[in-house]
Amino acid sequence: MKILVVGGAGYIGSVCAELLLDEGHEVGIFDNLTEGHRAAVDPRAQFIHGELQDRRVIEDALSGTRPEAVMHFAANALVGESMQNPSKYFRNNVANGLNLLDAMIGTGVRRLIFSSTCAIFGPPERVPIDETMPMRPINPYGESKLAFEKVLRWYDEIHGLKFVSLRYFNAAGASPKFGEDHRIETHLIPNVLQVALGQKPHVEIFGTDYETPDGTCIRDYIHIIDLARAHILALKSPRSEFYNLGTGGGASVREVIDCCRKVTGRKIDVAEKARRPGDPPRLIASSKKIKKELGWNPQFQSLEAIVESAWAWHQKFPRGYGD
C-alpha cells in the first residue's frame, strides 16, 4: 500500500514508517519538524516538510503521493502544557486535524489510522481500562483527542471516511534505528537512562505514598515496535473502530528504575518529591478487543525487553538526533 505518515518524524511515527517500509509499503512522511527530527525520517521514505494548519499544503502532499491510507501522529501531547496553553492543543489536535480530514475528502483518501490516547478516559473507575468505560478527560490534551474521535465518527457517517483510533498510554523502547528524543522529555524511561548516561544527576519520583505495592504510580508500557505493529494491523480493519492498547499489567516507577539499574549496570540516584496533582495511582489499558478482532500479539511484553532496546539506542545516540 501507499501510506502517508503525518507526524512521521516523531518518536512513534518514525518507527511505524520504518516497519511499513520493511514490509514493502510505499511511505511518504509529512512533518513540520517542530517536535520531530529530520534524522528520524527513514531515508527510504519520501519526506514532505509542511504544516497541517495550511490545508493547501496537506492537499498538495496528498495529491502528490496519492496514498491509500493516512496514519496521523501529528499532535501535541504534554498534559501539563495543555493545562497552561489549551489553545495550542485544540488548534493543533482538533483544528489542524480537521484540515487533514478535509484534505483527505477533497483528494479521495478514505482511510485513516489515528494515534489517540487513553487520557480520553480520565481517572478510571477500574483497571484495566476497556473500550466500554465512560470517557471523562481531565485535561485539554485528553479532551482534544476525544473531540477528534467524535469528529471521526461523523466523517465516517457523512463522508464514508473509515478510521481506526488506537488509544494507549506509554510508548517505550526503541528500534535499532529510531528511538525516543523529545525536546521536552517527560517520559520516565528516557529520563532514567539520562541519569545512567551521566547527563542528569538523578531521576525524580513524584509521590511515594500511593495505594500500590511500593507506593509509586503504576503505568502501562508498550514496546514501540509492538505499538507500530498495531497501527499496521489496523490498516486491515474492515470497518471504523476504536481500540485500547496495553499490556494488562503495568510497572511502578520504582520497578522501572530498578529495571534500568539492572539493564545498564549503573548507579541511578533518585529524588523523592511530592505527588503531582491529578496523577492516578494506576493506569493500565486492556487489549482484549484488538487481540480478538485484529489478532494483535505483542512480542515484547517484558519491561526488561523494553528497557534493553531503549538503552541500546541511547548508548548509540547519547545526544539523541542532535538537531
Side-chain angles (χ1 to χ4, degrees):
M1 293 178 71
K2 287 185 177 181
I3 313 292
L4 182 66
V5 182
V6 178
Y11 173 41
I12 304 173
S14 64
V15 177
C16 279
E18 178 188 10
L19 265 64
L20 283 165
L21 289 158
D22 289 346
E23 292 188 9
H25 298 284
E26 189 175 331
V27 175
I29 290 174
F30 184 94
D31 204 295
N32 65 5
L33 300 181
T34 59
E35 301 294 338
H37 307 269
R38 185 63 181 87
V41 175
D42 194 299
R44 297 171 292 175
Q46 177 186 354
F47 178 62
I48 302 159
H49 185 258
E51 295 279 355
L52 273 184
Q53 66 185 21
D54 189 332
R55 181 175 159 181
R56 180 188 57 80
V57 170
I58 186 61
E59 276 189 348
D60 288 347
L62 289 163
S63 297
T65 56
R66 306 304 303 173
E68 297 160 75
V70 171
M71 288 187 178
H72 179 26
F73 299 96
N76 294 112
L78 298 176
V79 169
E81 183 187 50
S82 80
M83 294 293 286
Q84 298 170 341
N85 188 2
S87 174
K88 176 179 179 179
Y89 279 71
F90 289 111
R91 288 179 189 278
N92 189 35
N93 296 0
V94 182
N96 290 352
L98 280 167
N99 283 342
L100 172 61
L101 296 184
D102 289 341
M104 289 174 66
I105 299 303
T107 55
V109 184
R110 291 294 194 276
R111 180 169 291 275
L112 178 78
I113 310 301
F114 176 52
S115 173
S116 190
T117 172
C118 283
I120 65 169
F121 293 104
E125 296 173 350
R126 66 179 188 277
V127 292
I129 302 168
D130 63 31
E131 292 81 0
T132 67
M133 293 186 65
M135 292 171 281
R136 297 183 292 237
I138 59 171
N139 51 66
Y141 166 60
E143 193 73 62
S144 69
K145 289 286 196 170
L146 178 57
F148 193 72
E149 285 196 352
K150 291 179 177 179
V151 169
L152 288 175
R153 287 178 49 244
W154 287 108
Y155 270 63
D156 181 8
E157 183 169 330
I158 295 168
H159 297 296
L161 190 153
K162 298 303 175 187
F163 69 89
V164 172
S165 181
L166 298 175
R167 305 152 166 171
Y168 41 89
F169 284 119
N170 298 66
S175 76
K177 293 181 181 177
F178 303 116
E180 194 165 9
D181 179 16
H182 299 111
R183 289 179 175 85
I184 301 175
E185 190 56 78
T186 63
H187 292 174
L188 179 60
I189 290 175
N191 273 311
V192 179
L193 295 180
Q194 285 173 9
V195 179
L197 287 166
Q199 296 171 354
K200 297 175 68 173
H202 57 258
V203 62
E204 296 175 331
I205 299 177
F206 295 97
T208 58
D209 58 350
Y210 287 95
E211 294 181 2
T212 59
D214 64 18
T216 63
C217 289
I218 291 175
R219 295 293 182 263
D220 207 339
Y221 297 91
I222 306 179
H223 198 293
I224 188 69
I225 290 176
D226 286 330
L227 203 58
R229 287 181 176 142
H231 287 79
I232 295 170
L233 274 175
L235 291 167
K236 301 175 183 178
S237 176
R239 62 184 183 276
S240 294
E241 198 53 87
F242 301 92
Y243 293 110
N244 293 359
L245 290 173
T247 61
S252 74
V253 174
R254 290 197 193 280
E255 286 173 333
V256 170
I257 295 169
D258 286 343
C259 185
C260 290
R261 288 178 176 132
K262 178 182 176 183
V263 169
T264 65
R266 299 190 181 180
K267 182 182 179 183
I268 297 172
D269 289 329
V270 303
E272 297 182 0
K273 301 291 185 71
R275 292 187 185 192
R276 292 179 297 197
D279 265 352
R282 191 186 303 259
L283 290 174
I284 299 168
S286 168
S287 297
K288 287 184 178 179
K289 184 179 176 183
I290 192 171
K291 287 179 178 179
K292 179 181 179 181
E293 296 185 3
L294 297 185
W296 184 60
N297 181 29
Q299 302 298 304
F300 303 97
Q301 285 273 55
S302 78
L303 180 62
E304 192 166 331
I306 291 172
V307 171
E308 284 174 348
S309 68
W311 179 235
W313 189 84
H314 282 283
Q315 283 184 296
K316 188 175 181 181
F317 303 100
R319 296 294 173 184
Y321 292 107
D323 55 359

